[in-house]
Amino acid sequence: MRYAKIALFAMVLALFALPAYSHQGGNVDIEIISDNGDEFLPIPYKNYKTGGTHLIKKYLEARREENYSIVIRNNTAERVGVVVAVDGRNIITGRKSFLKNNEMMYIVYPYGSTKLEGWRTNQDAVHRFYFTDVSDSYAVRTFGDTSAMGVIAVAVFREKEQPRILYEKELKKEKAPAPSSGAPSSGASREYKSDSAGTGFGDETYSPVVKVEFEPENIPSKKILVKYE
């Protein structure tokens, strides 16, 4: 059986279903929250279906230098895989993301929730997300990539089969590189308009995961795109 060897089970909040959340509607939702628990208020923009995928677009006001987390709530009775990209980069590997089913993804269990706090660098740690200027963003400093700047993107994949849990294993081949030191890469030092924003590579924090077997469907059931400025 083909399986997504790159699917990760985030241990922090996804170990058990969280009964405090409503499970009506069979939905998967996200929130962008600050460290004090406040939600950054989203402004709905578009909500429609295309090619079998439910597409939701929103706007968000970023607050410079403030840490943030992406909370994903699975209000369905099945596991889902989520490919998450910030500023166009997969938050697990740092690679360019096209929100496809062959990318590394997190697994959220039925009626569960997970809190994603940063760019993953190994099995036990991430570096915090924080809102910053474009020139200081991880995508620009490390890759010179502005193609999806200021966008938090989540693609939700349903599961084809119920697999078994694999043994815990260190992530050796797929991990995000640390940002480049010194000045931004060539082409990234240009001036940006004052309301442009990006996400930085912040302090390291403990965030363990285990590897699980997961075979996603070919296309996402849902995409959520949040544009922040």
Side-chain angles (χ1 to χ4, degrees), residues 40-126:
F40 291 90
L41 185 64
I43 302 172
Y45 174 54
K46 288 185 178 180
N47 189 330
Y48 59 96
K49 282 196 172 185
T50 176
T53 299
H54 183 192
L55 186 61
I56 296 175
K57 295 183 178 182
K58 303 178 183 180
Y59 286 105
L60 194 77
E61 182 180 5
R63 297 197 285 264
R64 184 179 281 106
E65 303 302 322
E66 187 158 351
N67 289 340
Y68 73 87
S69 300
I70 304 167
V71 175
I72 301 177
R73 295 188 177 120
N74 178 11
N75 301 321
T76 75
E78 59 188 62
R79 299 194 318 172
V80 295
V82 289
V83 175
V84 183
V86 174
D87 298 345
R89 315 303 301 195
N90 186 298
I91 68 170
I92 299 174
T93 66
R95 293 180 176 180
K96 181 70 179 174
S97 175
F98 298 94
L99 302 179
K100 300 294 186 180
N101 69 339
N102 61 350
E103 297 183 37
M104 289 190 77
M105 63 182 67
Y106 285 103
I107 305 304
V108 188
Y109 274 59
Y111 304 129
S113 174
T114 191
K115 182 180 180 183
L116 306 176
E117 298 181 299
W119 307 100
R120 181 156 297 281
T121 52
N122 58 54
Q123 178 184 327
D124 295 317
V126 298

Coordinates of all heavy atoms in Angstrom, one line a residue, residues 40-126:
F40 N -6.5 36.5 15.9 CA -6.4 37.6 14.9 C -7.6 37.5 14.1 O -7.9 36.5 13.4 CB -5.1 37.4 14.1 CG -3.8 37.6 14.8 CD1 -3.2 36.5 15.4 CD2 -3.3 38.9 14.9 CE1 -2.0 36.7 16.1 CE2 -2.1 39.1 15.6 CZ -1.4 38.0 16.2
L41 N -8.4 38.6 14.1 CA -9.7 38.6 13.5 C -9.6 38.5 12.0 O -9.0 39.3 11.3 CB -10.5 39.8 13.8 CG -11.9 39.9 13.4 CD1 -12.8 38.8 14.0 CD2 -12.5 41.3 13.7
P42 N -10.2 37.4 11.4 CA -10.2 37.3 9.9 C -11.4 38.0 9.3 O -12.4 38.2 9.9 CB -10.4 35.7 9.7 CG -11.2 35.3 10.9 CD -10.8 36.2 12.1
I43 N -11.2 38.4 8.1 CA -12.2 39.1 7.3 C -12.5 38.2 6.1 O -11.7 38.0 5.2 CB -11.8 40.5 6.8 CG1 -11.4 41.4 8.0 CG2 -12.9 41.2 6.0 CD1 -10.8 42.7 7.6
P44 N -13.7 37.6 6.0 CA -14.1 36.7 4.9 C -14.0 37.5 3.6 O -14.3 38.6 3.5 CB -15.5 36.3 5.2 CG -15.6 36.5 6.7 CD -14.8 37.7 7.0
Y45 N -13.5 36.8 2.5 CA -13.4 37.3 1.2 C -14.2 36.5 0.2 O -15.1 37.0 -0.5 CB -11.9 37.5 0.8 CG -11.7 38.0 -0.6 CD1 -12.3 39.1 -1.1 CD2 -10.9 37.2 -1.5 CE1 -12.1 39.6 -2.4 CE2 -10.7 37.7 -2.8 CZ -11.3 38.8 -3.2 OH -11.0 39.3 -4.5
K46 N -13.8 35.3 0.0 CA -14.5 34.4 -1.0 C -14.7 33.0 -0.4 O -13.9 32.5 0.4 CB -13.7 34.3 -2.3 CG -13.7 35.6 -3.1 CD -13.0 35.3 -4.5 CE -13.1 36.6 -5.3 NZ -12.4 36.4 -6.6
N47 N -15.8 32.3 -0.8 CA -16.1 31.0 -0.3 C -16.8 30.3 -1.5 O -18.0 30.6 -1.8 CB -17.0 31.1 0.9 CG -17.2 29.8 1.6 OD1 -17.2 28.7 1.0 ND2 -17.4 29.8 2.9
Y48 N -16.1 29.3 -2.1 CA -16.8 28.7 -3.2 C -16.1 27.3 -3.5 O -15.1 26.9 -2.8 CB -16.6 29.5 -4.5 CG -15.2 29.8 -4.9 CD1 -14.5 29.1 -5.8 CD2 -14.5 30.9 -4.3 CE1 -13.2 29.4 -6.2 CE2 -13.2 31.2 -4.7 CZ -12.6 30.4 -5.6 OH -11.3 30.7 -6.0
K49 N -16.7 26.5 -4.4 CA -16.1 25.2 -4.7 C -15.6 25.2 -6.1 O -16.2 25.8 -7.0 CB -17.2 24.1 -4.6 CG -17.5 23.7 -3.2 CD -18.3 22.4 -3.1 CE -18.4 21.9 -1.7 NZ -19.0 20.6 -1.6
T50 N -14.4 24.5 -6.3 CA -13.8 24.5 -7.6 C -13.1 23.1 -7.8 O -12.3 22.8 -6.9 CB -12.9 25.6 -7.9 OG1 -12.2 25.4 -9.1 CG2 -11.8 25.7 -6.8
G51 N -13.5 22.4 -8.8 CA -12.8 21.1 -9.1 C -12.8 20.1 -7.9 O -11.9 19.4 -7.7
G52 N -13.9 20.1 -7.1 CA -14.0 19.2 -6.0 C -13.4 19.7 -4.7 O -13.4 18.9 -3.7
T53 N -12.9 20.9 -4.7 CA -12.3 21.4 -3.5 C -13.0 22.6 -3.1 O -13.4 23.5 -3.9 CB -10.8 21.9 -3.8 OG1 -10.0 20.7 -4.2 CG2 -10.2 22.5 -2.6
H54 N -13.3 22.7 -1.8 CA -14.0 23.8 -1.2 C -12.9 24.9 -0.9 O -12.0 24.6 -0.1 CB -14.7 23.4 0.1 CG -15.4 24.5 0.8 ND1 -15.9 24.4 2.1 CD2 -15.8 25.8 0.3 CE1 -16.6 25.5 2.4 NE2 -16.5 26.4 1.4
L55 N -13.0 26.0 -1.5 CA -11.9 27.1 -1.4 C -12.5 28.2 -0.5 O -13.5 28.8 -0.8 CB -11.5 27.5 -2.7 CG -10.3 28.5 -2.8 CD1 -9.1 27.9 -2.2 CD2 -10.1 29.0 -4.2
I56 N -11.7 28.6 0.5 CA -12.1 29.7 1.4 C -10.9 30.7 1.4 O -9.8 30.3 1.6 CB -12.4 29.2 2.8 CG1 -13.6 28.3 2.8 CG2 -12.6 30.4 3.7 CD1 -13.9 27.7 4.2
K57 N -11.2 32.0 1.2 CA -10.2 33.0 1.2 C -10.6 34.1 2.2 O -11.7 34.5 2.3 CB -10.0 33.7 -0.2 CG -9.5 32.7 -1.3 CD -9.3 33.5 -2.6 CE -8.7 32.6 -3.6 NZ -8.5 33.3 -4.9
K58 N -9.6 34.5 3.0 CA -9.8 35.5 4.1 C -8.6 36.5 4.1 O -7.6 36.2 3.6 CB -9.9 34.8 5.5 CG -10.9 33.7 5.6 CD -10.9 33.1 7.0 CE -11.9 31.9 7.1 NZ -11.9 31.3 8.4
Y59 N -8.9 37.6 4.8 CA -7.8 38.6 5.0 C -7.6 38.6 6.5 O -8.5 38.3 7.3 CB -8.3 40.0 4.5 CG -8.2 40.1 3.0 CD1 -9.3 40.1 2.3 CD2 -6.9 40.3 2.4 CE1 -9.3 40.3 0.9 CE2 -6.9 40.4 1.0 CZ -8.0 40.4 0.3 OH -8.0 40.5 -1.1
L60 N -6.4 39.1 6.9 CA -6.0 39.1 8.3 C -5.1 40.3 8.5 O -4.2 40.5 7.7 CB -5.3 37.8 8.7 CG -5.2 37.6 10.2 CD1 -6.5 37.1 10.8 CD2 -4.1 36.5 10.4
E61 N -5.3 41.0 9.6 CA -4.4 42.1 10.0 C -3.2 41.6 10.8 O -3.5 41.1 11.9 CB -5.1 43.3 10.7 CG -4.1 44.4 11.0 CD -4.8 45.5 11.7 OE1 -6.0 45.4 12.1 OE2 -4.1 46.6 12.0
A62 N -2.0 41.7 10.4 CA -0.8 41.2 11.1 C -0.4 42.3 12.1 O -0.5 43.5 11.8 CB 0.3 40.8 10.1
R63 N 0.2 41.9 13.2 CA 0.8 42.8 14.2 C 2.3 42.5 14.2 O 2.7 41.5 14.7 CB 0.2 42.6 15.5 CG -1.3 43.0 15.5 CD -1.9 43.2 16.9 NE -2.0 42.0 17.7 CZ -3.2 41.3 17.8 NH1 -4.2 41.8 17.2 NH2 -3.2 40.2 18.5
R64 N 3.1 43.5 13.7 CA 4.5 43.3 13.6 C 5.2 42.8 14.9 O 4.9 43.3 16.0 CB 5.2 44.6 13.1 CG 6.6 44.5 12.8 CD 7.2 45.8 12.4 NE 7.0 46.1 11.0 CZ 6.1 47.0 10.5 NH1 5.4 47.7 11.4 NH2 5.9 47.2 9.3
E65 N 6.1 41.9 14.7 CA 6.9 41.3 15.8 C 6.1 40.4 16.8 O 6.7 39.9 17.8 CB 7.7 42.4 16.6 CG 8.6 43.3 15.7 CD 9.6 42.5 15.0 OE1 10.1 41.5 15.5 OE2 9.9 42.8 13.8
E66 N 4.9 40.1 16.5 CA 4.1 39.3 17.4 C 4.1 37.9 17.0 O 3.9 37.5 15.8 CB 2.6 39.8 17.5 CG 1.8 39.1 18.5 CD 0.6 39.9 19.0 OE1 0.5 41.1 18.6 OE2 -0.2 39.3 19.7
N67 N 4.4 37.0 17.9 CA 4.4 35.5 17.6 C 2.9 35.1 17.3 O 2.0 35.6 17.9 CB 4.9 34.7 18.8 CG 6.4 34.8 19.0 OD1 7.1 35.2 18.1 ND2 6.8 34.5 20.2
Y68 N 2.8 34.1 16.5 CA 1.4 33.6 16.2 C 1.5 32.1 16.0 O 2.6 31.5 15.8 CB 0.8 34.3 15.0 CG 1.3 33.9 13.7 CD1 0.8 32.8 13.0 CD2 2.3 34.7 13.0 CE1 1.3 32.4 11.7 CE2 2.8 34.3 11.8 CZ 2.3 33.2 11.1 OH 2.8 32.9 9.9
S69 N 0.4 31.4 16.2 CA 0.2 30.0 15.9 C -1.0 29.7 15.0 O -1.9 30.5 15.0 CB 0.0 29.2 17.3 OG 1.1 29.4 18.1
I70 N -0.9 28.6 14.3 CA -2.0 28.2 13.5 C -2.7 27.0 14.2 O -2.1 26.0 14.4 CB -1.5 27.7 12.1 CG1 -0.7 28.9 11.4 CG2 -2.7 27.3 11.2 CD1 0.1 28.4 10.2
V71 N -4.0 27.2 14.6 CA -4.8 26.2 15.2 C -5.7 25.6 14.2 O -6.5 26.3 13.6 CB -5.6 26.8 16.4 CG1 -6.5 25.7 17.0 CG2 -4.6 27.3 17.5
I72 N -5.6 24.2 14.1 CA -6.5 23.5 13.1 C -7.4 22.6 13.9 O -6.9 21.8 14.7 CB -5.6 22.7 12.1 CG1 -4.7 23.6 11.4 CG2 -6.5 21.9 11.2 CD1 -3.8 22.9 10.4
R73 N -8.7 22.8 13.7 CA -9.7 22.0 14.4 C -10.4 21.0 13.4 O -10.9 21.5 12.4 CB -10.7 22.9 15.1 CG -10.1 23.7 16.2 CD -11.2 24.5 16.9 NE -10.6 25.2 18.0 CZ -10.7 26.5 18.2 NH1 -11.3 27.2 17.3 NH2 -10.1 27.1 19.2
N74 N -10.4 19.8 13.7 CA -11.0 18.8 12.9 C -12.3 18.4 13.5 O -12.4 17.6 14.4 CB -10.1 17.5 12.7 CG -10.7 16.4 11.9 OD1 -11.7 16.6 11.2 ND2 -10.1 15.3 11.9
N75 N -13.4 18.9 12.9 CA -14.8 18.6 13.5 C -15.4 17.5 12.7 O -16.7 17.5 12.5 CB -15.6 19.9 13.4 CG -15.0 21.0 14.2 OD1 -14.5 20.8 15.3 ND2 -15.1 22.2 13.7
T76 N -14.6 16.6 12.2 CA -15.2 15.4 11.5 C -14.9 14.1 12.2 O -14.1 14.1 13.2 CB -14.6 15.3 10.1 OG1 -13.2 14.8 10.2 CG2 -14.6 16.7 9.4
A77 N -15.5 13.0 11.8 CA -15.3 11.7 12.4 C -14.1 10.9 11.9 O -14.0 9.7 12.1 CB -16.6 10.9 12.3
E78 N -13.3 11.6 11.1 CA -12.2 10.8 10.5 C -10.9 11.7 10.6 O -10.9 12.9 10.7 CB -12.5 10.6 9.0 CG -12.7 11.8 8.2 CD -13.2 11.6 6.8 OE1 -14.3 10.9 6.6 OE2 -12.5 11.9 5.8
R79 N -9.8 11.0 10.5 CA -8.5 11.7 10.4 C -8.4 12.5 9.1 O -8.9 12.1 8.1 CB -7.3 10.7 10.5 CG -7.3 9.9 11.7 CD -5.9 9.2 11.9 NE -5.3 8.6 10.7 CZ -4.1 8.1 10.6 NH1 -3.3 8.1 11.7 NH2 -3.7 7.6 9.5
V80 N -7.7 13.6 9.2 CA -7.4 14.4 8.0 C -5.9 14.7 8.0 O -5.2 14.8 9.1 CB -8.2 15.6 7.9 CG1 -9.7 15.3 7.8 CG2 -7.9 16.6 9.1
G81 N -5.3 14.9 6.8 CA -4.0 15.3 6.7 C -4.0 16.8 6.2 O -4.9 17.2 5.4
V82 N -3.1 17.6 6.8 CA -3.1 19.0 6.4 C -1.7 19.4 5.9 O -0.7 19.3 6.6 CB -3.6 19.9 7.5 CG1 -5.1 19.8 7.7 CG2 -2.8 19.7 8.8
V83 N -1.6 19.9 4.7 CA -0.4 20.5 4.2 C -0.5 22.0 4.5 O -1.5 22.7 4.1 CB -0.3 20.3 2.7 CG1 1.0 21.1 2.2 CG2 -0.1 18.8 2.4
V84 N 0.4 22.5 5.2 CA 0.4 23.9 5.7 C 1.6 24.7 5.1 O 2.8 24.2 5.2 CB 0.4 24.0 7.2 CG1 0.3 25.5 7.6 CG2 -0.7 23.2 7.8
A85 N 1.3 25.8 4.4 CA 2.4 26.6 3.9 C 2.3 28.0 4.4 O 1.1 28.6 4.4 CB 2.3 26.5 2.3
V86 N 3.4 28.6 4.7 CA 3.4 30.0 5.1 C 4.4 30.8 4.1 O 5.5 30.3 3.9 CB 3.8 30.2 6.5 CG1 4.0 31.7 6.9 CG2 2.8 29.6 7.5
D87 N 3.9 31.8 3.5 CA 4.7 32.6 2.5 C 5.2 31.7 1.4 O 6.3 31.8 0.9 CB 5.9 33.3 3.2 CG 5.4 34.3 4.2 OD1 4.2 34.7 4.2 OD2 6.3 34.7 5.0
G88 N 4.4 30.6 1.1 CA 4.7 29.7 0.0 C 5.7 28.6 0.3 O 6.0 27.8 -0.5
R89 N 6.1 28.4 1.6 CA 7.0 27.4 2.0 C 6.3 26.4 3.0 O 5.6 26.8 3.9 CB 8.2 28.0 2.7 CG 8.8 29.2 2.1 CD 9.3 29.0 0.6 NE 10.3 27.9 0.4 CZ 11.0 27.8 -0.7 NH1 10.8 28.7 -1.7 NH2 11.9 26.8 -0.8
N90 N 6.5 25.1 2.7 CA 5.9 24.1 3.6 C 6.6 24.2 5.0 O 7.8 24.3 5.1 CB 6.3 22.7 3.0 CG 5.7 21.6 3.8 OD1 5.9 21.3 4.9 ND2 4.8 20.8 3.1
I91 N 5.7 24.3 6.0 CA 6.2 24.6 7.3 C 7.0 23.5 8.0 O 7.6 23.6 9.0 CB 5.1 25.1 8.3 CG1 4.1 23.9 8.6 CG2 4.4 26.3 7.7 CD1 3.2 24.3 9.7
I92 N 7.0 22.3 7.4 CA 7.7 21.1 7.9 C 9.1 21.1 7.2 O 10.1 20.9 7.9 CB 7.0 19.8 7.7 CG1 5.7 19.8 8.4 CG2 7.9 18.6 8.2 CD1 4.8 18.6 8.2
T93 N 9.2 21.2 5.9 CA 10.4 21.0 5.2 C 11.1 22.3 4.8 O 12.3 22.4 4.4 CB 10.1 20.2 3.9 OG1 9.3 21.0 3.0 CG2 9.5 18.9 4.2
G94 N 10.3 23.4 4.7 CA 10.8 24.7 4.2 C 10.8 24.7 2.7 O 11.2 25.8 2.1
R95 N 10.4 23.6 2.0 CA 10.4 23.6 0.6 C 9.3 24.4 0.0 O 8.3 24.6 0.6 CB 10.4 22.2 0.1 CG 11.6 21.4 0.4 CD 11.5 19.9 -0.1 NE 12.7 19.2 0.1 CZ 12.9 17.9 -0.3 NH1 11.9 17.3 -0.9 NH2 14.0 17.3 0.0
K96 N 9.4 24.8 -1.3 CA 8.3 25.4 -2.0 C 7.1 24.5 -2.0 O 7.2 23.3 -2.3 CB 8.7 25.7 -3.4 CG 7.7 26.4 -4.3 CD 7.5 27.8 -3.8 CE 6.5 28.6 -4.6 NZ 6.2 29.9 -4.1
S97 N 5.9 25.1 -1.6 CA 4.7 24.3 -1.5 C 3.8 24.6 -2.6 O 3.5 25.7 -2.9 CB 4.1 24.5 -0.1 OG 2.8 23.8 -0.1
F98 N 3.2 23.5 -3.1 CA 2.1 23.6 -4.1 C 0.8 23.0 -3.5 O -0.1 22.8 -4.3 CB 2.5 23.0 -5.4 CG 3.7 23.6 -6.0 CD1 5.0 23.1 -5.8 CD2 3.6 24.7 -6.8 CE1 6.1 23.7 -6.4 CE2 4.7 25.3 -7.4 CZ 5.9 24.8 -7.2
L99 N 0.8 22.8 -2.2 CA -0.4 22.2 -1.5 C -0.8 20.9 -2.1 O -2.0 20.6 -2.2 CB -1.5 23.2 -1.5 CG -1.2 24.6 -0.9 CD1 -2.4 25.5 -0.9 CD2 -0.7 24.5 0.6
K100 N 0.2 20.0 -2.4 CA -0.1 18.7 -3.1 C -0.1 17.6 -2.0 O 0.5 17.7 -0.9 CB 0.9 18.4 -4.2 CG 0.9 19.5 -5.3 CD -0.4 19.5 -6.1 CE -0.3 20.4 -7.3 NZ -1.6 20.4 -8.1
N101 N -0.7 16.5 -2.4 CA -0.8 15.3 -1.5 C 0.5 14.6 -1.3 O 0.6 13.7 -0.4 CB -1.9 14.4 -1.9 CG -1.5 13.6 -3.2 OD1 -0.7 14.1 -4.0 ND2 -2.2 12.5 -3.5
N102 N 1.6 14.9 -2.1 CA 2.9 14.2 -1.9 C 3.8 15.0 -1.0 O 5.0 14.7 -0.8 CB 3.5 14.0 -3.2 CG 3.8 15.2 -4.0 OD1 3.4 16.3 -3.7 ND2 4.6 15.1 -5.1
E103 N 3.3 16.1 -0.4 CA 4.2 16.9 0.5 C 4.0 16.4 1.9 O 3.1 15.7 2.3 CB 3.7 18.4 0.4 CG 3.9 19.0 -0.9 CD 3.6 20.5 -0.9 OE1 3.8 21.2 0.1 OE2 3.0 21.0 -1.9
M104 N 5.0 16.8 2.8 CA 4.9 16.5 4.2 C 3.7 17.2 4.8 O 3.5 18.3 4.4 CB 6.2 16.9 4.9 CG 7.4 16.0 4.6 SD 8.8 16.2 5.7 CE 8.2 15.3 7.1
M105 N 3.0 16.5 5.7 CA 1.8 17.1 6.2 C 1.6 16.6 7.7 O 2.3 15.7 8.1 CB 0.6 16.6 5.4 CG 0.3 15.1 5.4 SD -1.1 14.7 4.3 CE -0.6 15.1 2.7
Y106 N 0.8 17.4 8.4 CA 0.4 17.0 9.8 C -0.9 16.2 9.7 O -1.7 16.4 8.8 CB 0.2 18.2 10.6 CG 1.5 18.9 11.1 CD1 2.0 20.0 10.5 CD2 2.3 18.3 12.1 CE1 3.2 20.6 10.9 CE2 3.5 18.9 12.5 CZ 3.9 20.1 11.9 OH 5.1 20.6 12.3
I107 N -1.1 15.4 10.7 CA -2.4 14.6 10.8 C -3.1 15.1 12.0 O -2.6 15.3 13.1 CB -2.1 13.1 11.0 CG1 -1.2 12.6 9.9 CG2 -3.4 12.3 11.1 CD1 -1.7 12.8 8.5
V108 N -4.4 15.4 11.8 CA -5.3 15.8 12.9 C -6.4 14.8 13.1 O -7.1 14.4 12.1 CB -6.0 17.2 12.6 CG1 -6.7 17.7 13.8 CG2 -4.9 18.2 12.2
Y109 N -6.5 14.3 14.3 CA -7.4 13.1 14.6 C -8.8 13.6 14.7 O -9.1 14.8 14.8 CB -6.9 12.4 15.8 CG -5.8 11.4 15.5 CD1 -4.6 11.7 14.9 CD2 -6.0 10.0 15.7 CE1 -3.7 10.8 14.6 CE2 -5.1 9.1 15.4 CZ -3.9 9.5 14.8 OH -2.9 8.6 14.5
P110 N -9.8 12.6 14.6 CA -11.2 12.9 14.6 C -11.6 13.8 15.8 O -11.2 13.5 17.0 CB -11.9 11.6 14.7 CG -10.9 10.6 14.1 CD -9.6 11.1 14.5
Y111 N -12.3 14.8 15.6 CA -12.8 15.7 16.7 C -11.6 16.2 17.5 O -11.8 16.5 18.7 CB -13.8 15.0 17.5 CG -15.0 14.5 16.7 CD1 -15.5 13.2 16.9 CD2 -15.7 15.3 15.8 CE1 -16.5 12.7 16.1 CE2 -16.8 14.9 15.1 CZ -17.2 13.6 15.3 OH -18.2 13.1 14.5
G112 N -10.5 16.4 16.9 CA -9.3 16.8 17.6 C -8.8 18.2 17.1 O -9.4 18.8 16.2
S113 N -7.8 18.6 17.7 CA -7.2 19.9 17.4 C -5.7 19.9 17.5 O -5.2 19.1 18.3 CB -7.8 21.0 18.3 OG -7.2 22.2 18.1
T114 N -5.0 20.7 16.7 CA -3.6 20.8 16.9 C -3.1 22.2 16.7 O -3.8 23.0 16.0 CB -2.8 19.9 15.8 OG1 -1.4 19.8 16.2 CG2 -3.0 20.4 14.4
K115 N -2.1 22.6 17.4 CA -1.6 24.0 17.4 C -0.2 24.0 16.8 O 0.7 23.4 17.3 CB -1.5 24.5 18.8 CG -1.1 26.0 18.9 CD -1.1 26.4 20.4 CE -0.7 27.8 20.6 NZ -0.6 28.1 22.1
L116 N 0.0 24.6 15.6 CA 1.2 24.6 14.9 C 1.9 26.0 15.2 O 1.4 27.0 14.8 CB 1.0 24.4 13.4 CG 0.2 23.1 13.1 CD1 -0.1 23.0 11.6 CD2 0.9 21.9 13.6
E117 N 3.1 26.0 15.8 CA 3.7 27.2 16.3 C 4.8 27.7 15.5 O 5.3 28.8 15.8 CB 4.1 27.0 17.8 CG 3.0 26.6 18.8 CD 3.6 26.5 20.2 OE1 4.4 25.5 20.4 OE2 3.2 27.2 21.1
G118 N 5.3 26.9 14.6 CA 6.5 27.4 13.8 C 7.0 26.5 12.8 O 6.4 25.5 12.5
W119 N 8.2 26.8 12.3 CA 8.9 26.1 11.2 C 9.6 24.9 11.9 O 10.4 25.1 12.8 CB 9.9 27.0 10.5 CG 9.4 28.3 10.0 CD1 9.5 29.5 10.6 CD2 8.7 28.5 8.8 NE1 8.9 30.5 9.8 CE2 8.5 29.9 8.7 CE3 8.4 27.7 7.7 CZ2 7.8 30.4 7.6 CZ3 7.7 28.2 6.6 CH2 7.4 29.6 6.6
R120 N 9.3 23.7 11.4 CA 9.9 22.5 12.0 C 11.3 22.3 11.5 O 11.6 22.4 10.3 CB 9.1 21.3 11.7 CG 9.6 20.0 12.3 CD 8.6 18.9 12.5 NE 7.5 19.4 13.4 CZ 7.6 19.4 14.7 NH1 8.8 19.0 15.3 NH2 6.6 19.8 15.5
T121 N 12.2 22.1 12.5 CA 13.6 21.8 12.1 C 14.1 20.4 12.5 O 15.1 19.9 12.0 CB 14.5 22.8 12.8 OG1 14.2 22.8 14.3 CG2 14.3 24.2 12.3
N122 N 13.3 19.7 13.4 CA 13.6 18.3 13.7 C 12.4 17.7 14.4 O 11.3 18.4 14.5 CB 14.9 18.2 14.6 CG 14.7 18.9 15.9 OD1 13.8 18.8 16.7 ND2 15.7 19.8 16.2
Q123 N 12.5 16.5 14.9 CA 11.4 15.8 15.4 C 10.8 16.4 16.7 O 9.6 16.3 17.0 CB 11.8 14.4 15.7 CG 10.8 13.5 16.4 CD 11.3 12.1 16.7 OE1 12.2 11.6 16.0 NE2 10.8 11.5 17.8
D124 N 11.6 17.2 17.4 CA 11.2 17.7 18.7 C 11.1 19.2 18.8 O 10.8 19.7 19.8 CB 12.2 17.2 19.8 CG 12.2 15.7 19.9 OD1 11.1 15.1 20.0 OD2 13.3 15.1 20.0
A125 N 11.4 19.9 17.7 CA 11.4 21.4 17.9 C 11.0 22.1 16.6 O 11.1 21.6 15.5 CB 12.8 21.8 18.2
V126 N 10.4 23.3 16.8 CA 10.1 24.2 15.8 C 10.6 25.6 16.1 O 11.0 25.9 17.3 CB 8.6 24.3 15.5 CG1 8.0 23.0 15.1 CG2 7.8 24.9 16.8

